[in-house]
Amino acid sequence: MLGELSERLRGGHQADGLPPSFRRGAAAGAVGLVLLATGLAATGRDEPDLGRFYDQRIEWAACEGTELPKDLQCGTVTVPLDYADPGKGTLELALARYRASSGDPRGSVVLNFGGPGGSGVQGLAFGREDFLGLTDDYDVVSFDPRGVGRSSPVSCGADAIGRALEATGGEETGDLRDALRQLREVAAECEKHSGPVLAHMGTVDVTRDLDVMRQALGDKKLNYLGFSYGTRLGAVYAARYPDKVGRMALDGVDTLTEPLAEQGLAGARGQQRALDNFLTWCTEELACPFGQDARTAREQVVDLVRSLDDTPVPTDFGYEFTGQDLAGAIAQGLYTKEMWPVLQRALAQLTEEGDTSGVEALASGGMAPAPAPSPAGEPPAAGPRDDEPLADEEDVPLDNLPAALMAVNCADDPDRPDEERLTRDLSRMRAAYEEASPVFGPYRLAQVVLCHGRPKGTDYIREKVKDLDTSKMLLVGTRGDPATPYHWTEQTAKRLGPSAVVLDNRGEGHTGYGSSDCVHRKIDDFLLYGSLPPSGSSCGAEDEDRI
């Protein structure tokens, strides 16, 4: 089967039939700001040179973009490139909102969909139905964080992950120091393509942006719903601005303490478990492209990933689809059980017809990528500028999401091993990741080692985000979460202290809000009415309450 597939794939694929809504587009139109000369004092007023940022108000207008809902409004907010030196330049961040259905909203609730590296404007646009209940009382707002989407997007070039995989996946007899040299070259390429924003991509910087947004939205306190990485962002905000925390819900709780290497291993194991569960389900269906034996199906998936790594497939979008792209597509399809039939069909298209369009759509989060910004598929190099306006949608690099993910995770992780230690440990790490998952392990390891050559990350999160004195926050952990294991919810709740109220979702999938009616109701009740479940209560696998 694999030999025939390879021949079909080399002959091309059928991406042209994708509907327009699957085309990757920029999330927000560029609209202006009204800078007010007067206004109430804000948190940033303790630093006089930030006053002009805290005096902003957002001017909302109809969104200009590809296939965005007509009732979605867009705006921008300006933030310093470097909060330690605001005179260095500014960044313009893209925002979007749905207006409250009531004529007199209580304010805004801000959403972050995770990643890090996910476009909040696209997430809000395409996840519209999930959040309409919140518009009973709020304007529902999201944003492209710095370095993401149209907000000064970062890039490492088209082949960064491939080069990292090559460096970390070599033979035991290979020159490990040469591999590390190659990783440093990739780090230099990231800096070249991304420009000055790359050095200011950490979560601590984004929390400061979030507080500027809060004030620009006219809210005295931040009401917030964060998913996955968005829970880390929310927790860091709460530590930095405890008196500005309104109603905060964190779903799919991230770790605040585990080193990046351990996070990668946990993610690989969780995704492998989810893949095994999917294949058990798939092989019970006659339509399963891998037959009816789960063990054989697992072997076929591994072979398929390796085959595409050996012989990538050219696409209509200026890049080659590799086995690691397939691993990413499968990972996206495993996030919820509701996506399993979509994943099954996409894999059947790939293996039976040589059609990559379904897995390409999954790999890009449900939207096929736009054409590459240059014939070679390379994003334009970003040179230093005094100010960074919103990027045009056609200039958002194809690799923006993974490049932003790596930039933020590296900036947040203080455990940067030196060359001697990494040389000593790389073979052991490779074996551990391969054991954790032959499908997802190599990509996860590449994400970790790509921090080599970058500055050491902050220790603020590990040392300062604990024992919070804030209003109550709702933390939701899902027992079968493949990306943020449940013990991270328990770990983070204990670390945050009495402010944390835990809801145990006894279900499957990454986060609970979109897949569990019970979780959805509990979060909405808290954000809309301030009603919290008892800490330790749970939502059952079939959405019954168990308290």
Side-chain angles (χ1 to χ4, degrees):
M1 180 187 75
L2 293 176
E4 295 175 1
L5 169 64
S6 181
E7 289 300 320
R8 284 197 297 269
L9 292 177
R10 278 194 286 269
H13 67 92
Q14 304 163 11
D16 293 337
L18 284 175
S21 62
F22 275 65
R23 299 292 179 187
R24 179 183 174 195
V31 295
L33 292 169
V34 178
L35 300 183
L36 302 183
T38 59
L40 297 176
T43 304
R45 287 295 202 169
D46 295 336
E47 305 175 61
D49 55 353
L50 295 180
R52 68 187 181 101
F53 300 103
Y54 275 90
D55 282 343
Q56 297 178 74
R57 290 296 181 269
I58 301 166
E59 185 176 286
W60 297 99
C63 293
E64 300 174 3
T66 307
E67 298 297 318
L68 296 177
K70 294 186 183 301
D71 57 343
L72 188 70
Q73 295 182 324
C74 290
T76 61
V77 69
T78 301
V79 296
L81 170 68
D82 181 356
Y83 278 90
D85 186 2
K88 271 182 152 181
T90 62
L91 305 172
E92 201 170 46
L93 307 182
L95 285 78
R97 74 172 179 181
Y98 291 114
R99 293 301 311 273
S101 57
S102 63
D104 185 23
R106 57 173 286 124
S108 303
V109 60
V110 178
L111 276 56
N112 180 279
F113 295 98
S119 165
V121 181
Q122 285 190 349
L124 189 60
F126 292 98
R128 180 178 183 277
E129 296 302 320
D130 280 340
F131 307 103
L132 287 183
L134 294 174
T135 61
D136 288 349
D137 212 18
Y138 291 104
D139 291 338
V140 179
V141 178
S142 195
F143 64 103
D144 288 357
R146 55 174 60 208
V148 174
R150 295 186 66 194
S151 300
S152 303
V154 295
S155 171
C156 291
D159 62 347
I161 286 290
R163 292 169 66 187
L165 287 163
E166 180 182 341
T168 58
E171 299 296 330
E172 294 295 328
T173 56
D175 186 346
L176 292 179
R177 292 191 184 278
D178 186 63
L180 299 187
R181 177 192 55 77
Q182 188 169 340
L183 292 173
R184 289 193 295 274
E185 290 176 357
V186 173
E189 285 293 307
C190 294
E191 187 174 355
K192 171 187 172 184
H193 284 287
S194 300
V197 70
L198 187 66
H200 306 282
M201 282 283 293
T203 297
V204 174
D205 290 295
V206 181
T207 60
R208 302 196 73 171
D209 295 343
L210 195 54
D211 199 56
V212 172
M213 287 180 219
R214 173 198 58 76
Q215 181 72 5
L217 289 166
D219 293 334
K220 293 182 178 179
K221 295 192 174 185
L222 177 71
N223 301 305
Y224 179 83
L225 172 55
F227 300 97
S228 193
Y229 161 77
T231 69
R232 188 197 314 170
L233 177 60
V236 176
Y237 181 91
R240 189 170 185 90
Y241 304 100
D243 60 332
K244 299 298 181 184
V245 175
R247 296 173 184 173
M248 182 172 285
L250 310 178
D251 184 8
V253 181
D254 203 353
T255 180
L256 301 173
T257 56
E258 289 192 7
L260 191 57
E262 293 301 319
Q263 294 179 42
L265 272 175
R269 293 190 191 103
Q271 288 176 321
Q272 186 63 47
R273 283 194 299 270
L275 175 60
D276 291 345
N277 292 338
F278 163 76
L279 290 174
T280 297
W281 168 84
C282 180
T283 52
E284 293 174 353
E285 303 284 328
L286 290 176
C288 184
F290 304 111
Q292 275 61 61
D293 181 77
R295 180 176 179 179
T296 303
R298 295 183 186 100
E299 295 171 354
Q300 288 186 60
V301 171
V302 174
D303 289 343
L304 182 57
V305 169
R306 290 174 178 169
S307 174
L308 285 170
D309 275 334
D310 291 339
T311 311
V313 182
T315 73
D316 289 346
F317 303 111
Y319 71 100
E320 292 187 326
F321 192 83
T322 69
Q324 297 312 304
D325 292 324
L326 177 60
I330 294 171
Q332 290 288 334
L334 294 173
Y335 274 153
T336 67
K337 277 188 172 181
E338 288 76 11
M339 287 294 294
W340 285 7
V342 176
L343 176 59
Q344 182 192 62
R345 288 193 296 272
L347 289 169
Q349 282 180 287
L350 176 67
T351 58
E352 296 169 6
E353 303 170 28
D355 178 0
T356 62
S357 61
V359 287
E360 283 185 73
L362 283 171
S364 56
M367 291 161 287
S374 74
E378 289 285 345
R385 286 183 270 177
D386 291 336
D387 300 286
E388 289 284 348
L390 290 186
D392 292 333
E393 62 178 88
E394 63 270 18
D395 290 333
V396 178
L398 292 171
D399 73 320
N400 177 236
L401 193 155
L405 182 147
M406 289 182 287
V408 174
N409 282 341
C410 295
D412 286 359
D413 186 53
D415 298 312
R416 190 80 78 249
D418 58 23
E419 182 169 331
E420 180 179 352
R421 179 181 165 191
L422 194 53
T423 301
R424 184 180 67 244
D425 292 349
L426 189 54
S427 295
R428 178 187 57 79
M429 292 172 66
R430 185 189 301 134
Y433 274 76
E434 181 75 17
E435 181 181 0
S437 172
V439 174
F440 306 108
Y443 187 87
R444 287 286 192 166
L445 177 60
Q447 289 179 322
V448 172
V449 299
L450 274 171
C451 290
H452 183 66
R454 300 188 186 213
K456 182 180 178 180
T458 182
D459 58 8
Y460 179 89
I461 298 173
R462 192 171 297 174
E463 294 189 359
K464 302 296 185 182
V465 186
K466 58 183 178 180
D467 304 322
L468 303 187
D469 183 16
T470 69
S471 56
K472 296 290 186 183
M473 299 182 293
L474 179 60
L475 278 62
V476 181
T478 298
R479 292 283 177 167
D481 195 315
T484 50
Y486 184 78
H487 74 266
W488 285 358
T489 301
E490 298 175 311
Q491 176 194 88
T492 299
K494 183 176 180 180
R495 182 173 179 82
L496 297 182
S499 297
V501 173
V502 173
L503 177 63
D504 176 1
N505 179 30
R506 298 178 181 272
E508 300 289 331
H510 185 39
T511 73
Y513 190 80
S515 58
S516 165
D517 290 341
C518 173
V519 171
H520 198 288
R521 184 172 65 252
K522 298 289 187 183
I523 289 177
D524 279 6
D525 284 350
F526 172 52
L527 292 173
L528 290 169
Y529 314 117
S531 174
L532 274 168
S535 191
S537 62
S538 65
C539 289
E542 302 301 325
D543 275 348
E544 75 275 12
D545 295 334
R546 299 177 184 174
I547 298 177

